[in-house]
Amino acid sequence: MKTIKKVFLNSLMLLCSALIPVCGFCFQNEPEGFGGIQWGTHISAVTNMILVLEKANDPIRRDLKMHQKQNEVMTMGRATLNQVGYIFFKDKFISAQILTEGSSNWLGLKDYAFELFGKGEQSDQSFEQYFWFGNKSRIKLNYDKETERGSLSIVSTQYKSQYQDNMEQAMRIMGLYGR
């Protein structure tokens, strides 16, 4: 009897979630890329990029490469940025990683993100960590009080799942992930 109730409740929850509008979980100004580059853009279509990190010898991450733009504007709102990285998977743009140092730059980055995307979800009030979940992008804003380092990560939902599928496949081949 309990199993039937569980199946019924799970089916009911699935049905209700299907009735939620597609943008029921969107946030304001959800990005379709970053820095003028759309998600999925091939690296060959982007000018003024410098390769700064690749893991050619790592079978799981060899298709990931981080680039930086020459002459990048290193501010967002009141925040001075330490690094702006553009992550490409199999030469397609999938993510942007923005780093800051110092509490004043963190507060500037946080204010900028809140103004642009709205107040993010915070799962634990004791941590400076906020999330935005959209249909095209997922965003994580994070601050480590001990090191005074902040980060803003913007990731394509479509290409992130492709990367995760590729990573799981590589791990299975290497015998590192389940059987």
Side-chain angles (χ1 to χ4, degrees):
M1 187 68 162
K2 286 184 180 183
T3 305
I4 294 171
K5 284 183 181 179
K6 283 182 182 179
V7 169
F8 176 74
L9 288 174
N10 286 337
S11 299
L12 185 60
M13 288 185 351
L14 182 62
L15 177 63
C16 289
S17 67
L19 297 175
I20 296 172
V22 173
C23 275
F25 299 107
C26 294
F27 51 90
Q28 71 187 35
N29 300 316
E30 181 180 357
E32 296 183 26
F34 179 80
I37 307 170
Q38 296 287 316
W39 298 136
T41 300
H42 196 276
I43 186 65
S44 64
V46 184
T47 59
N48 299 323
M49 288 293 213
I50 302 166
L51 178 65
V52 293
L53 182 64
E54 69 177 311
K55 304 269 185 173
N57 295 329
D58 183 339
I60 295 171
R61 290 177 272 195
R62 70 173 161 239
D63 291 323
L64 277 178
K65 296 177 183 171
M66 183 167 66
H67 292 76
Q68 291 179 338
K69 276 187 184 178
Q70 293 176 341
N71 305 317
E72 179 78 56
V73 175
M74 297 300 284
T75 59
M76 282 188 152
R78 296 181 292 111
T80 299
L81 309 177
N82 283 31
Q83 180 179 358
V84 178
Y86 295 80
I87 312 300
F88 289 78
F89 170 63
K90 294 187 176 180
D91 293 330
K92 291 187 178 180
F93 182 50
I94 67 164
S95 178
Q97 307 293 319
I98 296 101
L99 304 177
T100 65
E101 284 189 19
S103 60
S104 62
N105 288 320
W106 156 250
L107 291 172
L109 183 62
K110 179 180 169 183
D111 289 347
Y112 179 83
F114 281 17
E115 285 176 30
L116 189 59
F117 307 124
K119 188 167 184 338
E121 295 179 28
Q122 188 177 20
S123 58
D124 185 340
Q125 299 294 322
S126 62
F127 294 105
E128 288 277 7
Q129 192 171 60
Y130 305 88
F131 300 91
W132 291 262
F133 301 99
N135 293 321
K136 298 172 187 159
S137 301
R138 302 274 161 80
I139 300 174
K140 178 182 173 185
L141 179 66
N142 187 58
Y143 182 65
D144 183 329
K145 291 178 184 177
E146 289 182 25
T147 62
E148 292 192 351
R149 291 184 178 161
S151 65
L152 177 67
S153 301
I154 306 172
V155 181
S156 161
T157 56
Q158 175 186 359
Y159 292 99
K160 180 182 180 195
S161 65
Q162 288 178 11
Y163 167 69
Q164 287 174 325
D165 291 346
N166 187 72
M167 184 175 73
E168 288 175 3
Q169 181 182 19
M171 290 175 79
R172 276 193 300 273
I173 290 168
M174 293 171 49
L176 299 175
Y177 182 80
R179 290 183 189 244

